[in-house]
Amino acid sequence: MITRVATILLFCLSSSCLLKGQTISPRIANYKIQVELDVDQKTLKGSQKIIWQNISTDTIKELRFHLYYNAFKNDQSTFLKNGGRDGFLSNSEFGWTEVFSFIDSDDTQLVGNSYYDPVDDGNVKDQTVLVIPLASPIMPLGLGEFEMEWKAKIPKIMVRTGYNKDFYFFAQWFPKLGVYEPAGMRYATKGQWNCHQYHSSGEYYSDFGNYNVSMTLPRNFIVASSGDLLSKRDEGEMTVWNFSVEDVIDFTWSCSPHFVSEQRVHNGVKLKYYSYPYKTHFADRYFNTLSFTMDYLNDHLGPYPYPTLSIVDAPLHGIFCGGMEYPTLISSISFCFLPKGVRVAETLIAHEYIHQYFMQLIATNETEEPWMDEGITTYYEGRIMDALYEGNRASIDVLGFKVGNAEFNRTEFFGSSNIKIAPNTRKSWEFEDGGYSSISYNKTAIWLKTLEGLLGIEKMDEIMKEYFLRWKFKHPCKNDFVDIVNEISGTDMHWFFDQVLEDVLVCDYAVDYAWSVENEETGTYYSSVIVHRLGEMKIPVEVRMSFEDGSQRLEEWDGEAPSFRFSCNENSKLVSAEIDPDRKIYIDKNFINNSYSIKKSKSIKHYFNRFLMNTQQALEAFNFII
Amino acid sequence: MGKVMQAFLKGFSTVLNSKRIWFFQYAMNLLFALFIAYPLSKLLSKVAGNSLTIDQAIGNFNYTIINDFLQNYGLGIEAIKSQSVIVFIIYFCLLVFFNAGIIHVAQRFPGAYKFRDFLAGGAEYFWRFLRLSIYFLIIYLLLIFLAFKIVTIEGLSPFKLENELGLISRARIVIVILLILFFILNAISDIIKVFITRSRDTYITRSIVMGMSFFKKHFLKFVSLALLQLGLLLLITGSYLIFRKFSNGSPNWFFLVFLIGQFFIMFRIGLRIWRLSSVYQLILRV
């Protein structure tokens, strides 16, 4: 054992100290990769050293790798079969990864015994999970060191990764280890690899580690990458770029001969913006939004711990790589033809940056629990964008049409074809009939905002800060989040999570009727309000009664019964009643029926006026073509 | 230029001489708009008339309330939408009828006319004007299709496009050309209408050919007249929009907004009469 440790230490030293530096993460999966890009053949040739730390008390007899590029190997892969994109790629545009050598520290070649394991659906045509049985098991708390040789054919960009023209985006490009979950971690009852096939919906799950990556590519290419540039040297017609990043769960890079870059520093973080010359005018929009978002999360959660952040604004022919998050590198989408008031670029950059916290720092399993990264990120996106652009105009502000971010997400959810399609707990690949986006992103954001309404924003901030501090550089699951909510709020909120997270219930409270009758003897008014629970969801709500003299009365209702009546005797006549007047219950599907004014609104005649005049104008518009 | 100005002013005299026709058309516009606006307003009143949100949404565009309305009470909107399609088709035909009637009456100016002359003219030329309108509609649609094809000549697939700049610059140029073409076609169409009313022929092909060659011959004059009319329309529309912007949402302005809105509609109808009459006057003068 002592000899083994000594060997490992030596290996570490010889591998440019992959595990060096101040440790802020467990550094379980560490990679030193050398890769060569062949732009003519559209291939990558790679060799990588892997140091894997067994943090469990289990003896590890096999390793499991994601070969994500094999999702594009044929149209029978699980990714392409379920993605509904048959025929999207031609034969020459498919991609794949082949591992042709895997050697352990005893120089034993292990690749011969390797096999593909379609763990999720048994599809034998799917080769996205490679199992390599080990000749020498990795002992409890031991280190494993390996050298791997592989070759990859780069797929034409279909989603997230690949090439188009001379734009390359390398995400999920190298053979990447799954996560070994010992008993007690997340839902594991016994030690097991968590290494799912690559599915068309859903993303990734990886361990923290250090990366040192050298890319060899033609000299005219410029590289945008995770981490910081250590060195760059020319070798004949090629240039070797060397990047390094520590304590992250993945490594992504992109290159193009057309990239132009701009750098700024915010809060000590080097922000590197890569774009094409025709869209550099977006730089300010990105930097401004990013600075605000960084400050907001710094204040509300904690500091961003890395020295760099790269932003890739993909060209039009690379947009399917845009709008994605990777450790210390995010990609966005911007369109020159959209008016400035349509804030696609700003929204995306804020969203992807928030993922640095909810995906990268808090490394949840995106494949199994997509709401934990996408939903929480969308919730913060709403908070940040609506704070940056006050007045419900964060998403769209064009010619008087104003749409806020949170309200846009709410409408996306309630406008989806089936809001009851699945509970939030559904695994990403189980959304076979749709609903992944509306449930994982939008519904989560809505119920988190509802939770914020129920607990108060200060308590919510306290919860999220504690969640961040306790679970950064770890892999929490649903229960961990719920436990923190219960702990910090001081109340058992299971009743809430059972409804919003585990079930598919609809929330709709309404004021059905309100009236007031004068008691001529006493001169007081007897007023009543009937409220209804039209949905299945039961949430305590407030009901505000407003009286003619300006006074108000706030009642509380547990929201359990299908209907309830509030009655009171007051000196003034009831004017209106409103359920949830402060819009705390953001998950309520209809805000229109939340209030009742005894007198019909005078605004109706204004609307009638508008309808009438607009219709008159539209009718007369025929004149232009007759 | 003198003839153009004379025709323009004579056209205005015809408008003043056609108050009954003018008012009748305004009344029809109002009636048809009511067929759509009233049920819509009724639906809004029924489902949201007692809701406080309706007041909150009056001043500004409120995305949440609009969507809650559409998502929760959308069935009612669907029924109104179907009804609206029928109303619009009928009104389209009615406009064709009106235009025929206007030119028929304009030919009698400065002499007296009876309202039934307007109706008789509309009836007499209706089918020919309808055919002409359909022909021009087809031409407009073909031009739009052609413009779309030119703009997307490199395709729309982001995979194939190098960037969106080509698309944007082509779109800008094509839209300008399209607007100019529409403007010219509209002017030609008005001349053809006059020629149809002066011909005994059931077929309109001859009138179309004559109208086009007449326009070609007097291109500058007719374009100048059309520009005068367009300028007037833009001026009044701009003023109206500025007024609307300032008055938007203010309950105190309700009647004023309503009145000004109705005046604007009346102006647009009057301008149509003016346009057709002045084209007729110019044809007489050149």
Side-chain angles (χ1 to χ4, degrees), chain A residues 333-345:
Chain A
I333 300 171
S334 57
F335 299 104
C336 295
F337 52 79
L338 287 179
K340 219 175 170 183
V342 180
R343 300 196 173 96
V344 175

Side-chain angles (χ1 to χ4, degrees), chain A residues 157 164-165 278 317 336 407 589-592 595 597 600-601 603 610 616-617 620 623-624 626, chain B residues 29 45 49-52 55 58 64 68 72-73 158-160 162 164 186 193 258 262 264 268 272:
Chain A
I157 291 173
N164 193 9
K165 301 183 192 289
Y278 75 94
H317 52 268
C336 295
E407 67 172 343
K589 77 183 276 276
N590 185 0
F591 287 148
I592 292 174
S595 53
S597 165
K600 279 229 175 204
S601 169
S603 301
R610 275 190 198 175
Q616 284 180 285
Q617 304 286 3
E620 199 53 32
N623 192 31
F624 291 117
I626 289 178
Chain B
N29 174 282
S45 174
N50 292 90
S51 175
L52 297 174
D55 293 330
I58 188 73
T64 296
D68 278 10
N72 294 288
Y73 313 106
F159 281 98
K160 298 204 169 77
E162 190 65 45
E164 60 265 46
N186 206 259
K193 280 172 197 157
F258 180 78
Q262 294 309 307
F264 180 61
R268 284 186 62 184
R272 179 155 47 84

Side-chain angles (χ1 to χ4, degrees), chain A residues 201-249:
Chain A
S201 61
E203 295 177 327
Y204 318 104
Y205 180 43
S206 325
D207 264 322
F208 288 92
N210 291 354
Y211 286 80
N212 185 309
V213 181
S214 296
M215 310 92 166
T216 305
L217 58 163
R219 284 175 79 161
N220 60 331
F221 273 72
I222 290 162
V223 177
S225 169
S226 292
D228 217 354
L229 181 66
L230 293 183
S231 66
K232 182 184 159 192
R233 65 177 193 280
D234 294 335
E235 287 183 2
E237 293 301 304
M238 310 295 268
T239 301
V240 182
W241 301 64
N242 181 220
F243 287 87
S244 167
V245 60
E246 294 170 350
D247 303 300
V248 292
I249 58 168

Side-chain angles (χ1 to χ4, degrees), chain B residues 12 44 57 81 128-129 134 141 178 183 194 197 204 234:
Chain B
F12 182 62
L44 186 71
K81 257 163 67 180
R128 277 174 273 178
F129 270 50
I134 291 169
L141 291 175
L178 208 57
F183 171 78
V194 175
T197 58
I204 59 171
L234 291 177

Side-chain angles (χ1 to χ4, degrees), chain B residues 245-268:
Chain B
K245 195 180 170 192
F246 283 112
S247 64
N248 201 13
S250 170
N252 306 328
W253 291 59
F254 171 73
F255 283 110
L256 192 60
V257 169
F258 180 78
L259 279 178
I260 303 262
Q262 294 309 307
F263 276 128
F264 180 61
I265 285 290
M266 286 191 82
F267 162 76
R268 284 186 62 184

